Amino acid sequence: MNKTLKKYFPIFVLPTLAAFTIGFLIPFAEGIYLSFCKFTTVNNAKWVGISNYVTALKDEAFLHSFWFTVAFTVVSTITINLLAFAVALVLTRGIKGTNIFRTVFFMPNLIGGIVLGYIWQILINCVLSIVEEPLLGLNTPAGYWGLIVLMAWQQVGYMMIIYIAGLQNVSPDLLEAAAIDGANSWQTLIKIKLPMVMSSVTICLFLTLTNSFKLFDQNLSLTAGEPNHATEMLALNIYNTFYARSGPQWKGIGQAKAVIFFVVVVIIALVQLRATRSKEVQQ
C-alpha cells in the first residue's frame, strides 16, 4: 500500500502544486520585481532600482500609517485575547445556555468587514452626535477606538472557540489534583490552565496579530483614513498609493510598500510564534 501511495503521490499533488504556483508563487515573484520598476501595466515596466523603496520609506503618510497600525495592533491583540479567554473560561463552567452564548458571540465573525464597518460607523456617529463630539471623519481618537471596538466585536467570538477547545482539553486529573492540594481558582488558572492552553494562545495571537496588521476593509468603510489620513492603516495607505494617485511612479512605490508590509508582517509573526511556542506544554 505504501509503495502504491508513493507511486501515485505526484499525481495527487500536481493539481494543488500547479494552482499554488500559478495563483501565488508567480504573481508573488512578479510583484517583487515590479517593486523595483516604474509601470502602469506589467507589460511596460521600467527598472528603477531601489528608488521606490527610498521614496516609500521617506513618505510621512506611510510612516504615520505604520505607527498607527502598530498602536492599533498592540491594543487590539491584547483586548481581543483577554476578552476571548475570559469568555471561554465562563462558557466552560457548564452554565445553562452555553451553546446559545457561544453562537451569539461567534455570529459577528460571519459578517463581512465592509458591512461591519458601515454598521459601526452609523452607531459611533450616532453616539458622537448625542454627546456633541466631532464625527468619525473629524475625530482621530474616535476613529482609533472605533476600529478597536469593531475588531474586538468581530474577532472575540472566533478566538473564544479556539480557547474553549484548549480549555476542554485540560486534563480533569490535573484540576482535581490541584484542588486536593488546596489551590484556589486563580492559582489553578495561572499554574495549570494557562500553561496547558498555550498552543491555543499561540494560534490566537498569530491570528489577531496578522489580522490586525493587515486590516483593510473595516478601515476603509469605518473611517477611510480620515481625518487627513490620521486613521489610515498600512493596507489602506498601500491601496491609496497604488490606485488613488496618477502616474506610473506611484504604482511602483505602492508595490514597494506592499513588499515592505509583507516583510514586516512575516517577521512579527515569526517572532511571536517562536516566543509563544517555547512556552507550550506537551500534553
mmCIF file of all heavy atoms in Angstrom, residues 230-273:
data_model
loop_
_atom_site.group_PDB
_atom_site.id
_atom_site.type_symbol
_atom_site.label_atom_id
_atom_site.label_comp_id
_atom_site.label_asym_id
_atom_site.label_seq_id
_atom_site.Cartn_x
_atom_site.Cartn_y
_atom_site.Cartn_z
ATOM 1 N N ALA A 230 -5.201 60.502 9.120
ATOM 2 C CA ALA A 230 -4.753 60.266 10.502
ATOM 3 C C ALA A 230 -5.096 58.869 10.988
ATOM 4 O O ALA A 230 -4.419 58.319 11.857
ATOM 5 C CB ALA A 230 -5.361 61.307 11.446
ATOM 6 N N THR A 231 -6.165 58.265 10.450
ATOM 7 C CA THR A 231 -6.558 56.913 10.862
ATOM 8 C C THR A 231 -6.344 55.911 9.725
ATOM 9 O O THR A 231 -7.002 54.873 9.680
ATOM 10 C CB THR A 231 -8.036 56.884 11.299
ATOM 11 O OG1 THR A 231 -8.866 57.298 10.198
ATOM 12 C CG2 THR A 231 -8.279 57.799 12.486
ATOM 13 N N GLU A 232 -5.432 56.238 8.840
ATOM 14 C CA GLU A 232 -5.136 55.365 7.706
ATOM 15 C C GLU A 232 -4.127 54.294 8.114
ATOM 16 O O GLU A 232 -3.019 54.609 8.538
ATOM 17 C CB GLU A 232 -4.579 56.199 6.553
ATOM 18 C CG GLU A 232 -4.341 55.423 5.270
ATOM 19 C CD GLU A 232 -3.804 56.334 4.179
ATOM 20 O OE1 GLU A 232 -2.617 56.737 4.275
ATOM 21 O OE2 GLU A 232 -4.566 56.660 3.248
ATOM 22 N N MET A 233 -4.500 53.030 7.977
ATOM 23 C CA MET A 233 -3.612 51.932 8.311
ATOM 24 C C MET A 233 -2.789 51.530 7.091
ATOM 25 O O MET A 233 -3.004 52.032 5.984
ATOM 26 C CB MET A 233 -4.415 50.754 8.861
ATOM 27 C CG MET A 233 -5.174 51.115 10.143
ATOM 28 S SD MET A 233 -6.122 49.746 10.824
ATOM 29 C CE MET A 233 -4.803 48.647 11.339
ATOM 30 N N LEU A 234 -1.827 50.630 7.297
ATOM 31 C CA LEU A 234 -0.864 50.297 6.246
ATOM 32 C C LEU A 234 -1.530 49.800 4.965
ATOM 33 O O LEU A 234 -1.191 50.243 3.867
ATOM 34 C CB LEU A 234 0.123 49.252 6.758
ATOM 35 C CG LEU A 234 1.339 49.775 7.521
ATOM 36 C CD1 LEU A 234 2.148 48.601 8.067
ATOM 37 C CD2 LEU A 234 2.211 50.635 6.628
ATOM 38 N N ALA A 235 -2.443 48.867 5.094
ATOM 39 C CA ALA A 235 -3.069 48.287 3.900
ATOM 40 C C ALA A 235 -3.819 49.347 3.108
ATOM 41 O O ALA A 235 -3.760 49.371 1.867
ATOM 42 C CB ALA A 235 -4.006 47.151 4.303
ATOM 43 N N LEU A 236 -4.513 50.249 3.804
ATOM 44 C CA LEU A 236 -5.249 51.313 3.121
ATOM 45 C C LEU A 236 -4.294 52.321 2.497
ATOM 46 O O LEU A 236 -4.548 52.831 1.401
ATOM 47 C CB LEU A 236 -6.188 52.006 4.100
ATOM 48 C CG LEU A 236 -7.081 53.105 3.515
ATOM 49 C CD1 LEU A 236 -7.936 52.556 2.382
ATOM 50 C CD2 LEU A 236 -7.958 53.717 4.608
ATOM 51 N N ASN A 237 -3.176 52.604 3.157
ATOM 52 C CA ASN A 237 -2.180 53.509 2.593
ATOM 53 C C ASN A 237 -1.597 52.947 1.299
ATOM 54 O O ASN A 237 -1.413 53.676 0.317
ATOM 55 C CB ASN A 237 -1.067 53.768 3.609
ATOM 56 C CG ASN A 237 0.032 54.668 3.070
ATOM 57 O OD1 ASN A 237 1.000 54.198 2.474
ATOM 58 N ND2 ASN A 237 -0.121 55.964 3.274
ATOM 59 N N ILE A 238 -1.316 51.647 1.296
ATOM 60 C CA ILE A 238 -0.792 50.995 0.086
ATOM 61 C C ILE A 238 -1.828 51.046 -1.032
ATOM 62 O O ILE A 238 -1.503 51.348 -2.187
ATOM 63 C CB ILE A 238 -0.395 49.544 0.396
ATOM 64 C CG1 ILE A 238 0.780 49.517 1.376
ATOM 65 C CG2 ILE A 238 -0.049 48.789 -0.885
ATOM 66 C CD1 ILE A 238 1.070 48.151 1.965
ATOM 67 N N TYR A 239 -3.071 50.780 -0.689
ATOM 68 C CA TYR A 239 -4.160 50.829 -1.676
ATOM 69 C C TYR A 239 -4.277 52.227 -2.283
ATOM 70 O O TYR A 239 -4.376 52.383 -3.506
ATOM 71 C CB TYR A 239 -5.471 50.427 -1.000
ATOM 72 C CG TYR A 239 -6.697 50.586 -1.860
ATOM 73 C CD1 TYR A 239 -7.084 49.589 -2.761
ATOM 74 C CD2 TYR A 239 -7.487 51.737 -1.765
ATOM 75 C CE1 TYR A 239 -8.221 49.742 -3.545
ATOM 76 C CE2 TYR A 239 -8.614 51.895 -2.554
ATOM 77 C CZ TYR A 239 -8.974 50.894 -3.440
ATOM 78 O OH TYR A 239 -10.095 51.045 -4.217
ATOM 79 N N ASN A 240 -4.265 53.250 -1.429
ATOM 80 C CA ASN A 240 -4.382 54.626 -1.918
ATOM 81 C C ASN A 240 -3.181 55.036 -2.760
ATOM 82 O O ASN A 240 -3.314 55.771 -3.736
ATOM 83 C CB ASN A 240 -4.543 55.584 -0.742
ATOM 84 C CG ASN A 240 -5.911 55.488 -0.093
ATOM 85 O OD1 ASN A 240 -6.884 55.112 -0.751
ATOM 86 N ND2 ASN A 240 -6.003 55.820 1.180
ATOM 87 N N THR A 241 -1.998 54.568 -2.382
ATOM 88 C CA THR A 241 -0.803 54.880 -3.174
ATOM 89 C C THR A 241 -0.890 54.262 -4.558
ATOM 90 O O THR A 241 -0.560 54.904 -5.565
ATOM 91 C CB THR A 241 0.465 54.369 -2.462
ATOM 92 O OG1 THR A 241 0.567 54.970 -1.163
ATOM 93 C CG2 THR A 241 1.714 54.715 -3.260
ATOM 94 N N PHE A 242 -1.345 53.036 -4.618
ATOM 95 C CA PHE A 242 -1.360 52.290 -5.890
ATOM 96 C C PHE A 242 -2.491 52.743 -6.807
ATOM 97 O O PHE A 242 -2.289 52.909 -8.012
ATOM 98 C CB PHE A 242 -1.491 50.797 -5.602
ATOM 99 C CG PHE A 242 -1.096 49.924 -6.761
ATOM 100 C CD1 PHE A 242 0.192 49.427 -6.868
ATOM 101 C CD2 PHE A 242 -2.007 49.598 -7.744
ATOM 102 C CE1 PHE A 242 0.569 48.621 -7.941
ATOM 103 C CE2 PHE A 242 -1.652 48.794 -8.823
ATOM 104 C CZ PHE A 242 -0.356 48.310 -8.917
ATOM 105 N N TYR A 243 -3.676 52.972 -6.236
ATOM 106 C CA TYR A 243 -4.857 53.220 -7.071
ATOM 107 C C TYR A 243 -5.320 54.674 -7.089
ATOM 108 O O TYR A 243 -5.927 55.113 -8.071
ATOM 109 C CB TYR A 243 -6.020 52.338 -6.605
ATOM 110 C CG TYR A 243 -5.802 50.870 -6.868
ATOM 111 C CD1 TYR A 243 -5.479 50.001 -5.836
ATOM 112 C CD2 TYR A 243 -5.915 50.351 -8.155
ATOM 113 C CE1 TYR A 243 -5.275 48.647 -6.076
ATOM 114 C CE2 TYR A 243 -5.709 48.999 -8.404
ATOM 115 C CZ TYR A 243 -5.399 48.160 -7.360
ATOM 116 O OH TYR A 243 -5.195 46.830 -7.604
ATOM 117 N N ALA A 244 -5.093 55.414 -6.020
ATOM 118 C CA ALA A 244 -5.667 56.760 -5.933
ATOM 119 C C ALA A 244 -4.745 57.843 -6.479
ATOM 120 O O ALA A 244 -5.155 58.992 -6.611
ATOM 121 C CB ALA A 244 -6.024 57.079 -4.476
ATOM 122 N N ARG A 245 -3.494 57.521 -6.775
ATOM 123 C CA ARG A 245 -2.552 58.511 -7.309
ATOM 124 C C ARG A 245 -2.251 58.189 -8.759
ATOM 125 O O ARG A 245 -2.062 57.034 -9.133
ATOM 126 C CB ARG A 245 -1.263 58.522 -6.488
ATOM 127 C CG ARG A 245 -1.468 58.979 -5.050
ATOM 128 C CD ARG A 245 -0.144 59.090 -4.319
ATOM 129 N NE ARG A 245 -0.308 59.586 -2.974
ATOM 130 C CZ ARG A 245 0.704 59.843 -2.144
ATOM 131 N NH1 ARG A 245 1.949 59.656 -2.546
ATOM 132 N NH2 ARG A 245 0.475 60.290 -0.928
ATOM 133 N N SER A 246 -2.186 59.231 -9.583
ATOM 134 C CA SER A 246 -1.929 59.032 -11.011
ATOM 135 C C SER A 246 -0.432 59.129 -11.295
ATOM 136 O O SER A 246 0.304 59.817 -10.601
ATOM 137 C CB SER A 246 -2.677 60.099 -11.829
ATOM 138 O OG SER A 246 -2.254 61.404 -11.456
ATOM 139 N N GLY A 247 -0.012 58.419 -12.323
ATOM 140 C CA GLY A 247 1.392 58.434 -12.693
ATOM 141 C C GLY A 247 2.022 57.074 -12.491
ATOM 142 O O GLY A 247 1.737 56.387 -11.499
ATOM 143 N N PRO A 248 2.886 56.670 -13.417
ATOM 144 C CA PRO A 248 3.493 55.331 -13.325
ATOM 145 C C PRO A 248 4.387 55.152 -12.111
ATOM 146 O O PRO A 248 4.572 54.027 -11.650
ATOM 147 C CB PRO A 248 4.300 55.227 -14.626
ATOM 148 C CG PRO A 248 4.565 56.646 -15.036
ATOM 149 C CD PRO A 248 3.346 57.411 -14.601
ATOM 150 N N GLN A 249 4.958 56.242 -11.582
ATOM 151 C CA GLN A 249 5.871 56.090 -10.452
ATOM 152 C C GLN A 249 5.150 55.617 -9.199
ATOM 153 O O GLN A 249 5.723 54.917 -8.360
ATOM 154 C CB GLN A 249 6.610 57.417 -10.162
ATOM 155 C CG GLN A 249 5.768 58.520 -9.548
ATOM 156 C CD GLN A 249 4.999 59.336 -10.596
ATOM 157 O OE1 GLN A 249 4.897 58.927 -11.747
ATOM 158 N NE2 GLN A 249 4.479 60.472 -10.193
ATOM 159 N N TRP A 250 3.872 55.993 -9.044
ATOM 160 C CA TRP A 250 3.157 55.664 -7.814
ATOM 161 C C TRP A 250 2.825 54.187 -7.717
ATOM 162 O O TRP A 250 2.739 53.632 -6.627
ATOM 163 C CB TRP A 250 1.893 56.505 -7.696
ATOM 164 C CG TRP A 250 2.199 57.949 -7.444
ATOM 165 C CD1 TRP A 250 2.005 59.001 -8.298
ATOM 166 C CD2 TRP A 250 2.801 58.492 -6.270
ATOM 167 N NE1 TRP A 250 2.447 60.164 -7.722
ATOM 168 C CE2 TRP A 250 2.937 59.888 -6.474
ATOM 169 C CE3 TRP A 250 3.240 57.943 -5.063
ATOM 170 C CZ2 TRP A 250 3.485 60.732 -5.529
ATOM 171 C CZ3 TRP A 250 3.783 58.785 -4.110
ATOM 172 C CH2 TRP A 250 3.901 60.159 -4.346
ATOM 173 N N LYS A 251 2.626 53.526 -8.844
ATOM 174 C CA LYS A 251 2.343 52.089 -8.792
ATOM 175 C C LYS A 251 3.561 51.321 -8.313
ATOM 176 O O LYS A 251 3.453 50.375 -7.535
ATOM 177 C CB LYS A 251 1.872 51.595 -10.159
ATOM 178 C CG LYS A 251 0.521 52.169 -10.573
ATOM 179 C CD LYS A 251 -0.065 51.434 -11.744
ATOM 180 C CE LYS A 251 -1.419 52.025 -12.132
ATOM 181 N NZ LYS A 251 -2.422 51.898 -11.072
ATOM 182 N N GLY A 252 4.734 51.719 -8.757
ATOM 183 C CA GLY A 252 5.959 51.091 -8.281
ATOM 184 C C GLY A 252 6.189 51.345 -6.810
ATOM 185 O O GLY A 252 6.598 50.447 -6.064
ATOM 186 N N ILE A 253 5.900 52.576 -6.370
ATOM 187 C CA ILE A 253 6.051 52.907 -4.948
ATOM 188 C C ILE A 253 5.047 52.116 -4.117
ATOM 189 O O ILE A 253 5.372 51.604 -3.044
ATOM 190 C CB ILE A 253 5.873 54.425 -4.735
ATOM 191 C CG1 ILE A 253 7.007 55.193 -5.423
ATOM 192 C CG2 ILE A 253 5.829 54.768 -3.245
ATOM 193 C CD1 ILE A 253 6.788 56.686 -5.500
ATOM 194 N N GLY A 254 3.824 52.008 -4.625
ATOM 195 C CA GLY A 254 2.819 51.217 -3.920
ATOM 196 C C GLY A 254 3.217 49.759 -3.817
ATOM 197 O O GLY A 254 3.009 49.110 -2.781
ATOM 198 N N GLN A 255 3.818 49.238 -4.885
ATOM 199 C CA GLN A 255 4.283 47.851 -4.865
ATOM 200 C C GLN A 255 5.422 47.683 -3.871
ATOM 201 O O GLN A 255 5.500 46.668 -3.168
ATOM 202 C CB GLN A 255 4.741 47.451 -6.269
ATOM 203 C CG GLN A 255 4.909 45.968 -6.476
ATOM 204 C CD GLN A 255 3.587 45.223 -6.410
ATOM 205 O OE1 GLN A 255 2.573 45.697 -6.887
ATOM 206 N NE2 GLN A 255 3.600 44.054 -5.787
ATOM 207 N N ALA A 256 6.332 48.662 -3.799
ATOM 208 C CA ALA A 256 7.428 48.612 -2.826
ATOM 209 C C ALA A 256 6.880 48.636 -1.401
ATOM 210 O O ALA A 256 7.361 47.909 -0.518
ATOM 211 C CB ALA A 256 8.379 49.784 -3.053
ATOM 212 N N LYS A 257 5.874 49.467 -1.160
ATOM 213 C CA LYS A 257 5.243 49.496 0.163
ATOM 214 C C LYS A 257 4.631 48.141 0.511
ATOM 215 O O LYS A 257 4.708 47.691 1.658
ATOM 216 C CB LYS A 257 4.160 50.580 0.205
ATOM 217 C CG LYS A 257 4.678 52.007 0.214
ATOM 218 C CD LYS A 257 3.520 53.000 0.284
ATOM 219 C CE LYS A 257 4.017 54.435 0.360
ATOM 220 N NZ LYS A 257 2.905 55.403 0.450
ATOM 221 N N ALA A 258 4.036 47.494 -0.483
ATOM 222 C CA ALA A 258 3.428 46.186 -0.248
ATOM 223 C C ALA A 258 4.472 45.149 0.143
ATOM 224 O O ALA A 258 4.234 44.311 1.027
ATOM 225 C CB ALA A 258 2.669 45.736 -1.496
ATOM 226 N N VAL A 259 5.649 45.204 -0.493
ATOM 227 C CA VAL A 259 6.719 44.260 -0.158
ATOM 228 C C VAL A 259 7.230 44.535 1.257
ATOM 229 O O VAL A 259 7.453 43.601 2.047
ATOM 230 C CB VAL A 259 7.867 44.352 -1.184
ATOM 231 C CG1 VAL A 259 9.054 43.507 -0.736
ATOM 232 C CG2 VAL A 259 7.385 43.906 -2.557
ATOM 233 N N ILE A 260 7.414 45.809 1.611
ATOM 234 C CA ILE A 260 7.827 46.171 2.970
ATOM 235 C C ILE A 260 6.802 45.670 3.970
ATOM 236 O O ILE A 260 7.135 45.112 5.019
ATOM 237 C CB ILE A 260 8.013 47.695 3.086
ATOM 238 C CG1 ILE A 260 9.163 48.171 2.197
ATOM 239 C CG2 ILE A 260 8.264 48.097 4.544
ATOM 240 C CD1 ILE A 260 9.268 49.682 2.081
ATOM 241 N N PHE A 261 5.539 45.876 3.648
ATOM 242 C CA PHE A 261 4.435 45.427 4.501
ATOM 243 C C PHE A 261 4.499 43.923 4.725
ATOM 244 O O PHE A 261 4.381 43.437 5.851
ATOM 245 C CB PHE A 261 3.131 45.832 3.807
ATOM 246 C CG PHE A 261 1.878 45.452 4.539
ATOM 247 C CD1 PHE A 261 1.755 45.650 5.899
ATOM 248 C CD2 PHE A 261 0.791 44.922 3.858
ATOM 249 C CE1 PHE A 261 0.591 45.315 6.572
ATOM 250 C CE2 PHE A 261 -0.373 44.585 4.512
ATOM 251 C CZ PHE A 261 -0.473 44.780 5.876
ATOM 252 N N PHE A 262 4.712 43.174 3.645
ATOM 253 C CA PHE A 262 4.801 41.713 3.729
ATOM 254 C C PHE A 262 5.952 41.288 4.643
ATOM 255 O O PHE A 262 5.777 40.427 5.512
ATOM 256 C CB PHE A 262 4.996 41.134 2.328
ATOM 257 C CG PHE A 262 5.374 39.685 2.302
ATOM 258 C CD1 PHE A 262 4.424 38.699 2.506
ATOM 259 C CD2 PHE A 262 6.695 39.298 2.095
ATOM 260 C CE1 PHE A 262 4.772 37.356 2.498
ATOM 261 C CE2 PHE A 262 7.051 37.966 2.088
ATOM 262 C CZ PHE A 262 6.090 36.986 2.286
ATOM 263 N N VAL A 263 7.115 41.889 4.461
ATOM 264 C CA VAL A 263 8.290 41.528 5.258
ATOM 265 C C VAL A 263 8.049 41.817 6.741
ATOM 266 O O VAL A 263 8.372 40.998 7.613
ATOM 267 C CB VAL A 263 9.539 42.291 4.760
ATOM 268 C CG1 VAL A 263 10.714 42.078 5.702
ATOM 269 C CG2 VAL A 263 9.902 41.832 3.350
ATOM 270 N N VAL A 264 7.448 42.961 7.047
ATOM 271 C CA VAL A 264 7.184 43.329 8.441
ATOM 272 C C VAL A 264 6.233 42.335 9.093
ATOM 273 O O VAL A 264 6.468 41.869 10.219
ATOM 274 C CB VAL A 264 6.604 44.760 8.513
ATOM 275 C CG1 VAL A 264 6.073 45.055 9.917
ATOM 276 C CG2 VAL A 264 7.666 45.787 8.148
ATOM 277 N N VAL A 265 5.154 41.990 8.394
ATOM 278 C CA VAL A 265 4.170 41.053 8.952
ATOM 279 C C VAL A 265 4.791 39.679 9.177
ATOM 280 O O VAL A 265 4.562 39.044 10.219
ATOM 281 C CB VAL A 265 2.937 40.945 8.030
ATOM 282 C CG1 VAL A 265 1.996 39.847 8.519
ATOM 283 C CG2 VAL A 265 2.195 42.263 7.981
ATOM 284 N N VAL A 266 5.600 39.207 8.237
ATOM 285 C CA VAL A 266 6.249 37.903 8.374
ATOM 286 C C VAL A 266 7.191 37.891 9.571
ATOM 287 O O VAL A 266 7.195 36.940 10.369
ATOM 288 C CB VAL A 266 7.010 37.535 7.080
ATOM 289 C CG1 VAL A 266 7.919 36.338 7.316
ATOM 290 C CG2 VAL A 266 6.027 37.231 5.963
ATOM 291 N N ILE A 267 7.994 38.936 9.729
ATOM 292 C CA ILE A 267 8.943 38.998 10.850
ATOM 293 C C ILE A 267 8.206 38.998 12.181
ATOM 294 O O ILE A 267 8.550 38.243 13.105
ATOM 295 C CB ILE A 267 9.842 40.245 10.726
ATOM 296 C CG1 ILE A 267 10.796 40.101 9.534
ATOM 297 C CG2 ILE A 267 10.637 40.473 12.014
ATOM 298 C CD1 ILE A 267 11.598 41.341 9.248
ATOM 299 N N ILE A 268 7.179 39.828 12.292
ATOM 300 C CA ILE A 268 6.423 39.902 13.542
ATOM 301 C C ILE A 268 5.759 38.560 13.850
ATOM 302 O O ILE A 268 5.780 38.089 14.999
ATOM 303 C CB ILE A 268 5.361 41.014 13.455
ATOM 304 C CG1 ILE A 268 6.047 42.384 13.432
ATOM 305 C CG2 ILE A 268 4.379 40.930 14.630
ATOM 306 C CD1 ILE A 268 5.099 43.531 13.202
ATOM 307 N N ALA A 269 5.171 37.923 12.841
ATOM 308 C CA ALA A 269 4.504 36.637 13.049
ATOM 309 C C ALA A 269 5.495 35.560 13.480
ATOM 310 O O ALA A 269 5.204 34.766 14.391
ATOM 311 C CB ALA A 269 3.787 36.218 11.772
ATOM 312 N N LEU A 270 6.681 35.526 12.865
ATOM 313 C CA LEU A 270 7.676 34.514 13.213
ATOM 314 C C LEU A 270 8.205 34.723 14.634
ATOM 315 O O LEU A 270 8.402 33.753 15.377
ATOM 316 C CB LEU A 270 8.822 34.544 12.210
ATOM 317 C CG LEU A 270 8.500 34.052 10.796
ATOM 318 C CD1 LEU A 270 9.708 34.215 9.889
ATOM 319 C CD2 LEU A 270 8.044 32.592 10.819
ATOM 320 N N VAL A 271 8.431 35.973 15.006
ATOM 321 C CA VAL A 271 8.901 36.271 16.370
ATOM 322 C C VAL A 271 7.845 35.843 17.391
ATOM 323 O O VAL A 271 8.159 35.229 18.414
ATOM 324 C CB VAL A 271 9.220 37.770 16.515
ATOM 325 C CG1 VAL A 271 9.463 38.128 17.988
ATOM 326 C CG2 VAL A 271 10.443 38.137 15.689
ATOM 327 N N GLN A 272 6.593 36.161 17.101
ATOM 328 C CA GLN A 272 5.516 35.780 18.020
ATOM 329 C C GLN A 272 5.380 34.269 18.130
ATOM 330 O O GLN A 272 5.236 33.718 19.236
ATOM 331 C CB GLN A 272 4.196 36.391 17.535
ATOM 332 C CG GLN A 272 2.977 35.965 18.344
ATOM 333 C CD GLN A 272 2.245 34.795 17.712
ATOM 334 O OE1 GLN A 272 1.941 34.814 16.531
ATOM 335 N NE2 GLN A 272 1.934 33.778 18.503
ATOM 336 N N LEU A 273 5.441 33.572 17.007
ATOM 337 C CA LEU A 273 5.326 32.110 17.027
ATOM 338 C C LEU A 273 6.450 31.475 17.837
ATOM 339 O O LEU A 273 6.214 30.558 18.636
ATOM 340 C CB LEU A 273 5.335 31.559 15.604
ATOM 341 C CG LEU A 273 4.056 31.755 14.780
ATOM 342 C CD1 LEU A 273 4.281 31.328 13.349
ATOM 343 C CD2 LEU A 273 2.889 30.993 15.395
#
